[in-house]
Amino acid sequence: MAWQWFHRLGSPRWFYEKTQAWLPWLTVVTLTLLIVGTVWGLAFAPVDAKQGNSYRIIYIHVPAAFLALAGYYIMAISGAVGLIWKMKLPYMVMKSAAPIGAALTFISLVTGSIWGKPTWGTWWEWDARITSMLILFFLYLGIMALQQAFHSRDTGDKAGAILALVGTVNIPIIYKSVDWWYTLHQPASIKFVGESTIHASMLYPLLAMVIAFYCFYALVLLLYTRAEILRRESRTQWVSDLVAQQVSSDNKDIPVKGGSTI
Amino acid sequence: MTFQFDSFASFMVMNGHGPFVWAAYGITFAVLVYLLVSPLLQRRQFLRQQARQQRAANRNV
């Protein structure tokens, strides 16, 4: 009885129907936070004494890097749950998390590179933080490729989950890289324990952007997973009912199109 | 909280850092928009394709 919620959570249909209601709310919250955080960070946060205005890149660079790492854990944990409990839904979440994580890692690498030019005088440096982040990017791409590499989807899912779990070794290395190695990259400015080394007037817009990126991640992960659920469950009755419903509502909306066979 | 620049022009230039800042924000938002639109298009494509198959199946009955 106590495990009922867990199994229900593992049902793709339940997940698809349940998340439908969350999407509009999540979209509104995400867009509001993104707009507020961006305007605040770009125009109203004070200029940095050392880095001038180039530091404003922090408001997208740091949240993207946070989510690139957190997203890897989400992917690896769902892979592990899929392997252990042999459930379908976690594999769909894992598959959806890979391209999102790759895109966020790409953002953090590119914005970091653009930020590096005015502050360090170089676009790229093979230092510990940047190199381990590049490895993270390749891990994401590798997992995406591995999932596609097998004829059987089950085998691809399992292989992807195993690579995702092996790759978690890289995550603490990324976190600790600025402390372990002497590097160009500045150490963490936000600390959960102890005082942050960033002033409140700069910290608040950054926190707004971090929350905005978390919300954005949740929203996009839901959208990708819902599309994946439809694809994988395409032969079930509930999906064909959904399609039939969609067709009839389309016909009602656009009468001209209703008669055609496209 | 005050606007940190004298004019819109100086906001764009950002004391010479403008091109870096705007390029970083531009690329980021392009990628975010892609992430948002891509699953929506996938879903729409799937529904269209399935609807076509359902209609074809209904005709053959």
Side-chain angles (χ1 to χ4, degrees), chain A residues 16 40 43 45 56 240 262, chain B residues 1 4 25 43 46 54-55:
Chain A
Y16 189 91
W40 197 351
R56 295 185 191 280
S240 28
I262 347 166
Chain B
M1 216 164 32
Q4 297 292 318
Y25 275 78
R43 181 175 180 273
F46 171 85
Q54 272 189 14
R55 273 193 288 262

Side-chain angles (χ1 to χ4, degrees), chain B residues 9-49:
Chain B
S10 75
F11 177 51
M12 295 308 287
V13 177
M14 290 193 170
N15 289 330
H17 285 153
F20 297 103
V21 174
W22 293 115
Y25 275 78
I27 293 167
T28 301
F29 283 98
V31 175
L32 295 189
V33 167
Y34 170 79
L35 279 179
L36 198 61
V37 170
S38 157
L40 294 174
L41 289 180
Q42 283 177 25
R43 181 175 180 273
R44 199 166 74 169
Q45 195 196 353
F46 171 85
L47 288 174
R48 277 194 181 160
Q49 193 189 336

Side-chain angles (χ1 to χ4, degrees), chain A residues 35-186:
Chain A
I35 292 167
V36 169
T38 305
V39 173
W40 197 351
L42 274 176
F44 291 95
V47 179
D48 187 77
K50 281 188 199 149
Q51 300 186 14
N53 283 305
S54 70
Y55 100 94
R56 295 185 191 280
I57 295 174
I58 201 174
Y59 295 113
I60 44 177
H61 175 73
V62 166
F66 269 20
L67 263 300
L69 297 176
Y72 194 90
Y73 277 125
I74 289 173
M75 183 178 67
I77 290 169
S78 15
V81 172
L83 281 177
I84 295 166
W85 282 287
K86 299 188 170 49
M87 290 153 88
K88 287 192 283 183
L89 185 63
Y91 282 133
M92 301 181 199
V93 175
M94 182 188 80
K95 184 155 190 220
S96 307
I100 309 172
L104 288 165
T105 315
F106 174 79
I107 291 178
S108 81
L109 284 169
V110 169
T111 55
S113 173
I114 294 174
W115 194 3
K117 187 62 185 167
T119 40
W120 301 340
T122 174
W123 296 105
W124 188 262
E125 186 67 35
W126 289 103
D127 87 339
R129 172 62 62 94
I130 302 172
T131 310
S132 50
M133 212 57 193
L134 187 65
I135 293 173
L136 180 73
F137 183 58
F138 290 145
L139 272 170
Y140 273 126
L141 294 187
I143 288 161
M144 285 162 70
L146 197 59
Q147 284 168 339
Q148 306 288 337
F150 297 92
H151 280 301
S152 143
R153 194 168 55 201
D154 284 352
T155 318
D157 280 341
K158 280 180 195 155
I162 290 166
L163 180 58
L165 285 170
V166 172
T168 49
V169 175
N170 189 36
I171 304 294
I173 296 178
I174 299 177
Y175 276 123
K176 283 293 177 188
S177 56
V178 281
D179 305 326
W180 286 345
W181 288 283
Y182 178 74
T183 158
L184 264 184
H185 205 283
Q186 66 198 41

Side-chain angles (χ1 to χ4, degrees), chain A residues 196-240:
Chain A
S196 296
T197 53
I198 176 169
H199 191 263
S201 57
M202 294 175 174
L203 179 66
Y204 291 144
L206 182 56
L207 289 180
M209 280 303 260
V210 169
I211 300 168
F213 268 66
Y214 265 95
C215 292
F216 179 84
Y217 185 90
L219 174 67
V220 170
L221 185 64
L222 283 184
L223 291 177
Y224 269 95
T225 307
R226 286 164 60 84
E228 186 68 20
I229 287 174
L230 288 185
R231 264 200 300 274
R232 293 198 182 192
E233 301 281 286
S234 61
R235 290 178 186 189
T236 60
Q237 188 59 45
W238 74 270
V239 172
S240 28

